[in-house]
Amino acid sequence: MEILKDIWAFLKGRKKWWLMPIIIVLLLLGIVIVVGGSSVIAPFIYSIF
């Protein structure tokens, strides 16, 4: 959780709010890949990409 605090402090301190959507999309994509790789819905997720 410390890295999230560091990222938030960086965004807030440097006023780089345009990075927030990029970070959110990358996190969601990572979650989809991790969950999709080890579940029964993996073939459906792979067909999306």
Side-chain angles (χ1 to χ4, degrees):
M1 295 307 286
E2 187 68 29
I3 193 162
L4 294 176
K5 291 179 186 177
D6 288 340
I7 291 172
W8 180 254
F10 172 78
L11 293 174
K12 189 175 175 185
R14 305 267 192 222
K15 306 281 193 240
K16 302 282 186 183
W17 298 115
W18 56 271
L19 287 173
M20 188 62 76
I22 297 170
I23 293 171
I24 291 171
V25 167
L26 288 175
L27 285 174
L28 289 175
L29 186 62
I31 290 170
V32 166
I33 290 173
V34 168
V35 170
S38 62
S39 69
V40 295
I41 61 170
F44 302 111
I45 292 176
Y46 290 135
S47 67
I48 292 173
F49 296 110

